[in-house]
Amino acid sequence: MKAHLPPPPSRRAATTVAASRQQFWAIFDGIRHPAQKQISSSLWRARPARITRPHNGRLPYITRAGDLLRSQTPPAVRPIPSFSYRISASYSAKGHQFDSDTNIFNFNPYARIQPTSLNIEEGLDRRRHRPASGEDAFFISRVGETGDVAVGIADGVGGWAESGVDPADFSHTFCDRMANAAYKFKRDSNLKTLKPRELMQTGYQSIVEDNTIAAGGSTACVGVARKDGTLEVANLGDSGFVHLRLNAIHRVSSPQTHAFNTPYQLSIISAKLLAQITAYGGTYFHDSPNDATISSHSLRHGDVVLFASDGVWDNLSAYDTLRIISQYMIGKGAWEPGSNGVTVGEGIRKLTDQDESSEGRPLTLQSTLAVAVASHAKVASLNTKVDGPFAKEVHRFYPEETYHGGKVDDICVVVLLALEDR
C-alpha cells in the first residue's frame, strides 16, 4: 500500500518539500555538520519541513529540520546504582525453647570472620563454636573488599543419625568453609565476581578433603548480593528463599527432591557405609553443586529476601511469610501504603541502624523480621491441629495417613534487606 504525503502546512514548506534530492541532502549535511556547511538564518527561523532519507523503497515522510538538531542531544545517563545490605539471622533447635534475645545474629560487615575451620583442623571441639540452631547452619560474610555480601543456609540431613553420624557436623563445617572462602575472596583476571555455585563448590570440596568429617550431608541455599543491586542464588534441596517487594511476593524458590521428604543433598559417604549400603541393596543420594538451581534477581530499594531451612517452609507457606513481614514493614513505616500503591518509607534507613546504646542485643528492622518469622515457624511446628505445608504434602502423597499439625524441626532464618545508597 502506498503512503501519501500530508498536505503541505505552508507554501514555504511546500517549496522545501519540492526541492531536489540533491539540494535537500546538501541542507541535511549542513545540519549534521554545521561547521562545514552553514544553514542560513532565514532557513533556521522558518524551521522548514524536510524529507527524511527513504527506507526500503518506501515514500519519505515529513519532519522538521529543528527536530533533527534536538534529537542529536545525547540522553541523560543514569548512574549505576549502589546498594548496601542489612542482614540478620534467627534460629531455634528442635527440642529447645525459642529465645528471641539470644537466638539472633546481627551481621556486621566490618567484623572479622572467626577462623572456626582452622580450629577444626587443629583438632579443637567444633561444637562449641556453633550457634544453637541444631542441625541447621547459616553464614553471612562480606565478599573480600568488593562491597558484595554472601549468605547461606545448610540443613544437615537428619537421616544420617541412623548411621551414627551427627548431621550437624557437615552442615556447620560447610557454612564455616563458605564464610571463610567469601571473606578471603580476591578479584583477579579470571574471577571478577564470586558466584554462589562456585562458593558452594569450594565449601563442599573443603569438607571432602577434611578427614575430620567422615560422613554426612546437607541441603544448601547460597546467595551473593552485589553492590550494584544484583542477587544470584544457588539452591540445592528443600531449603529456599522468598523475594518480597512492596507487600507482594516477587519470586519464590522451588524445592528439589528425589522423592517425598528426600531432598537433593551434598554428601560424604565413608567406605564402610558404602559397603553396608551395597550389601543390603540400599540406595544413597549424592548430588553436587552443579545440580543447584540458579536464579538471578535485580533488587530494589526496600526489597526483603528471606532465606530459610525446611524447618520454616514445612510450617509456613510463602504467603505466611509475606503476611508476617508485611505486618512489621508496614507497621514500622518501612513500607507505606498510599493512593498510588505501596512505597518505601523515608525512615527505613534509620530503622535498620543498630542502636548500640540499647540494653542487650541491638534491635533493628532486619533482626525484628528474622525473629518474627522464626518465632511464627516455631509456634506452627508445635501446633498439632492446624495443618502446615508438610502435613498437606503428607496427605497428598499418602492419603491414608492421619498426620496433622506442624512439623517439629530445627529452624533457621536469614533476612536480607536491600537499601540503595544515596
Side-chain angles (χ1 to χ4, degrees):
M1 180 176 65
K2 294 184 178 180
H4 295 277
L5 293 176
S10 68
R11 181 180 179 185
R12 184 158 191 166
T15 302
T16 307
V17 172
S20 66
R21 295 171 63 87
Q22 182 177 2
Q23 180 185 0
F24 165 72
W25 289 117
I27 295 174
F28 181 81
D29 290 337
I31 294 173
R32 289 191 301 175
H33 308 288
Q36 301 174 11
K37 294 185 180 182
Q38 298 296 326
I39 306 174
S40 67
S41 58
S42 60
L43 179 60
W44 171 246
R45 285 195 298 269
R47 292 183 59 209
R50 67 175 182 83
I51 303 177
T52 60
R53 186 185 294 273
H55 295 280
N56 301 325
R58 296 181 180 179
L59 292 176
Y61 57 92
I62 298 175
T63 58
R64 298 273 182 181
D67 296 336
L68 179 63
L69 289 178
R70 289 195 299 273
S71 69
Q72 302 305 306
T73 304
V77 179
R78 187 178 185 273
I80 298 176
S82 176
F83 282 79
S84 58
Y85 303 98
R86 309 295 190 266
I87 310 173
S88 291
S90 186
Y91 45 84
S92 178
K94 60 184 175 184
H96 292 75
Q97 186 175 359
F98 178 72
D99 187 343
S100 61
D101 292 327
T102 58
N103 297 152
I104 187 174
F105 173 81
N106 284 303
F107 171 60
N108 179 359
Y110 304 105
R112 178 178 174 81
I113 296 293
Q114 297 299 318
T116 53
S117 293
L118 296 179
N119 290 341
I120 293 173
E121 294 169 1
E122 293 169 2
L124 299 179
D125 183 8
R126 66 174 66 87
R127 291 177 177 82
R128 67 185 181 184
H129 300 290
R130 298 174 182 169
S133 55
E135 297 168 1
D136 286 0
F138 70 92
F139 78 92
I140 309 170
S141 172
R142 75 177 194 230
V143 180
E145 302 298 328
T146 64
D148 303 343
V149 180
V151 303
I153 283 182
D155 179 6
V157 178
W160 282 101
E162 299 175 2
S163 301
V165 174
D166 183 357
D169 286 346
F170 187 103
S171 58
H172 284 268
T173 306
F174 180 37
C175 283
D176 287 342
R177 303 299 171 86
M178 287 191 288
N180 282 322
Y183 184 79
K184 296 176 181 179
F185 175 81
K186 292 183 179 180
R187 286 194 176 111
D188 57 35
S189 57
N190 298 322
L191 192 62
K192 297 185 181 299
T193 59
L194 182 63
K195 301 281 189 179
R197 176 180 279 164
E198 281 70 23
L199 181 57
M200 189 186 296
Q201 179 65 52
T202 299
Y204 176 53
Q205 189 62 33
S206 178
I207 296 179
V208 170
E209 297 171 355
D210 185 354
N211 294 328
T212 64
I213 305 295
S218 81
T219 64
C221 185
V222 180
V224 175
R226 301 189 177 92
K227 193 171 179 61
D228 63 1
T230 59
L231 168 68
E232 186 175 352
V233 181
N235 187 48
L236 183 85
D238 57 2
S239 294
F241 68 87
V242 60
H243 178 184
L244 306 178
R245 174 175 295 163
L246 299 178
N247 199 30
I249 295 177
H250 188 65
R251 194 165 183 178
V252 62
S253 61
S254 298
Q256 295 177 311
T257 59
H258 293 286
F260 173 74
N261 205 29
T262 309
Y264 281 35
Q265 55 196 269
L266 304 174
S267 61
I268 296 177
I269 303 176
S270 65
K272 180 180 179 180
L273 285 176
L274 185 59
Q276 292 176 352
I277 292 172
T278 303
Y280 291 99
T283 58
Y284 68 94
F285 299 103
H286 185 68
D287 304 299
S288 78
N290 287 332
D291 297 313
T293 299
I294 306 298
S295 60
S296 298
H297 311 249
S298 294
L299 299 178
R300 294 182 183 176
H301 183 58
D303 281 7
V304 176
V305 184
L306 169 70
F307 300 86
S309 65
D310 69 336
V312 172
W313 305 122
D314 283 343
N315 293 291
L316 299 176
S317 68
Y319 289 99
D320 291 330
T321 61
L322 171 64
R323 176 180 52 80
I324 296 166
I325 288 178
S326 293
Q327 176 184 352
Y328 287 91
M329 291 292 285
I330 293 176
K332 291 181 175 293
W335 289 345
E336 295 181 345
S339 58
N340 295 324
V342 181
T343 59
V344 179
E346 291 292 335
I348 189 171
R349 299 177 192 278
K350 186 176 181 180
L351 293 171
T352 64
D353 292 337
Q354 296 186 13
D355 183 6
E356 301 294 345
S357 64
S358 61
E359 296 182 3
R361 292 181 181 267
L363 192 63
T364 61
L365 176 60
Q366 58 271 23
S367 63
T368 299
L369 298 178
V371 167
V373 174
S375 62
H376 276 78
K378 186 74 171 183
V379 171
S381 71
L382 300 174
N383 191 314
T384 58
K385 296 182 179 180
V386 178
D387 289 346
F390 180 80
K392 294 176 182 177
E393 283 292 287
V394 171
H395 299 157
R396 186 166 72 91
F397 283 92
Y398 306 101
E400 69 281 1
E401 289 291 333
T402 59
Y403 187 101
H404 290 288
K407 180 176 182 289
V408 176
D409 201 352
D410 300 318
I411 291 169
C412 188
V413 174
V414 175
V415 168
L416 179 149
L417 181 59
L419 296 181
E420 186 170 1
D421 299 332
R422 294 172 179 172

